[in-house]
Amino acid sequence: MANCKLRFRAAGTCWLLAAALCLLLAGGCATRQGKGPEVSTPSFVLPDDESASPLTRTELAALKSTGQIDKNVPDEAMPDVARQYKYFLRKGRNTMSVFSKRSEQYLAYARKVFRSRGMPDELAYLAIVESGYKADAKSPAGAAGAWQFMPYTGMKYGLNQDWWMDERLDPYKATEAAADYLQKLYGDFGDWPTAIAAYNAGEGKMSRAKQGTGGRDFFEVKARNHKLDDKAQLREETKQYVPRFLAVAKIMRNLPQLGFEPIQPDKAPGVLRFTARPGTDLMAFSSACRLSWEEFRAYNQHHKRPITSTERTTFVYVPARYEREATAFLRSPQANAYADWRPAKVATSADSWDKISRRSNVPVARLKAANPGNDRLSAGEMVLVPRSVNMSATAVAALDPKESRTARETRQGKKERLKPGDSRAPARETAVAAGGSHKLQPDETLYAVARKYNVSLKDLQDCNQIDNPNKVRAGCILRIPGAAVAAAPSAGGSSGRVGKAGRKATYTVQAKDSLWNIARKHNVSVDDLKRWNNVDEKSLRAGATLVVNLD
């Protein structure tokens, strides 16, 4: 819950042209790391010799510049480095410009991580070779993230991959894992060029090539590579991977001198890492920070769901300018409103959100909000539901399929307009009846109770004279406000003007509204709002009138 007080750099949202990404992936993204089956990758094409375009004096000086890793490169290895260097200065210049600019958001943190381990901070440039620092990059071979970890190696170095998340797409945590892995490889091979080659080829492949050739380091192994049989030889991709890294490092050290736009990693907008409790509502978190869901997702692409794991704490990233809002939200009782939910398997295709709603006493709209884009259920799929709900086929079959039309419509909020005293008029649901009560369960929050009974958190507090929600204890009896109705907006109320029209309502869009906020106020999905009004986030305008179907 607490802010870890480490300042990061903001994740950029710049998208790379497909052609440039394909070029990069051919150079090192689709690699095998760790102990896994060999995978085939696209053949690496050596850049054309730019002999017709010789290096200028400034370019030659930059090529001769050295850091910790490239200070002892043998002369016979320099032609490959020069070819890679000239490629990124000529034909690949636009690609280099995009990569260097995107890296600005992450380099300060990456350098800090490597320096803290006593490693050369120029290793931070390796993610440029791997992905161009594209946080959500994925290769055909299954590598993912800025540091292109394969699944096995990612798990080995602490990057969780499950139903909830893929931490290979967390550029900050992946940087820490890459530092751990590279440090291990350096311990295995004793020099950085060989460790970098092993990062691309896998330590097993590099060890066998070293042993088979008798070479002391990558450069000697590369020179003797032809002596190995076809299976044992280093691929062309790996042979050019180290020269490519060295070329990129030389360019990154001399961007202004080489005519590239200068970058200032230390002045990039700050990002804060927060630890979120299990079951944190990420959509509510983004709203509390005044970020659209798309903006929030750009910082947190490692989360696959709008809810964080209900089994463990996780990292969430927010621009530093919203530190106060983020801290306040994570300390509030509504933050982990889904702590008592769990992923469960749908037992039968006869199940539906309507039936789960009846078994769990949770509105269909809230179930769908926790499972966006999943309107119809199929046997075997995983869905997020309250922990107490019975998802077995027996529980589904136990529901009476012949219930009366009046009971079904009453439950769904489709009440007929019946006169007082009419024998067909059903009793008002106890969940929302005036004077109704609820016993607060362990780990249950006021916000969860408010959502369960479709009332606002403020009304629930006022009705029970609660000033501080954090002082309410399990076992207390809460009175449910009698004004609650099936179609009432969810906690927080409405900032716009709503005019009811039968089973529909109209809503006037306010200046700071988003589709997600409006959908949340009315317990409907964003997809439904888009469908009913033929609108999306880009076309949403203040003052526009939206139709909301309350059925």
Side-chain angles (χ1 to χ4, degrees), residues 203-401:
E203 58 259 51
K205 179 89 170 182
M206 197 66 218
S207 293
R208 291 189 294 272
K210 229 184 135 180
Q211 184 177 4
T213 61
R216 292 172 297 177
D217 57 23
F218 164 76
F219 298 112
E220 288 190 3
V221 170
K222 178 174 177 290
R224 304 172 188 177
N225 193 52
H226 62 282
K227 296 182 179 181
L228 299 171
D229 60 41
D230 290 345
K231 186 176 180 180
Q233 284 185 359
L234 296 180
R235 291 169 294 176
E236 191 66 30
E237 173 192 326
T238 302
K239 289 162 59 180
Q240 295 302 322
Y241 185 78
V242 175
R244 171 171 282 206
F245 166 76
L246 298 178
V248 166
K250 291 174 184 296
I251 292 173
M252 290 298 294
R253 287 196 296 261
N254 297 278
L255 286 174
Q257 297 92 319
L258 296 173
F260 290 96
E261 181 181 353
I263 61 173
Q264 296 179 300
D266 293 327
K267 295 184 180 180
V271 163
L272 293 178
R273 171 189 277 174
F274 291 87
T275 299
R277 290 176 289 174
T280 294
D281 186 339
L282 292 179
M283 284 193 170
F285 194 5
S286 67
S287 180
C289 294
R290 293 176 289 161
L291 293 168
S292 71
W293 179 238
E294 291 75 16
E295 290 172 323
F296 186 86
R297 278 277 297 144
Y299 293 95
N300 297 281
Q301 297 183 76
H302 53 295
H303 286 283
K304 297 179 181 178
R305 316 281 165 192
I307 316 297
T308 68
S309 170
T310 57
E311 305 300 327
R312 62 180 184 274
T313 59
T314 52
F315 289 148
V316 181
Y317 301 93
V318 174
R321 63 183 180 277
Y322 297 122
E323 179 177 9
R324 181 186 300 176
E325 293 87 344
T327 301
F329 174 80
L330 290 176
R331 288 176 178 172
S332 69
Q334 65 264 35
N336 59 331
Y338 292 90
D340 57 349
W341 289 45
R342 65 183 173 95
K345 184 179 292 186
V346 176
T348 169
S349 57
D351 209 351
S352 66
W353 290 124
D354 180 68
K355 292 177 181 178
I356 295 175
S357 174
R358 290 156 62 189
R359 301 199 302 276
S360 64
N361 197 28
V362 172
V364 170
R366 189 180 180 206
L367 289 168
K368 287 187 175 182
N371 297 273
N374 194 351
D375 289 333
R376 302 187 67 178
L377 303 182
S378 301
E381 71 175 305
M382 300 294 291
V383 293
L384 186 62
V385 295
R387 197 175 298 274
S388 59
V389 68
N390 188 340
M391 293 292 289
S392 69
T394 303
V396 176
L399 293 175
D400 182 9

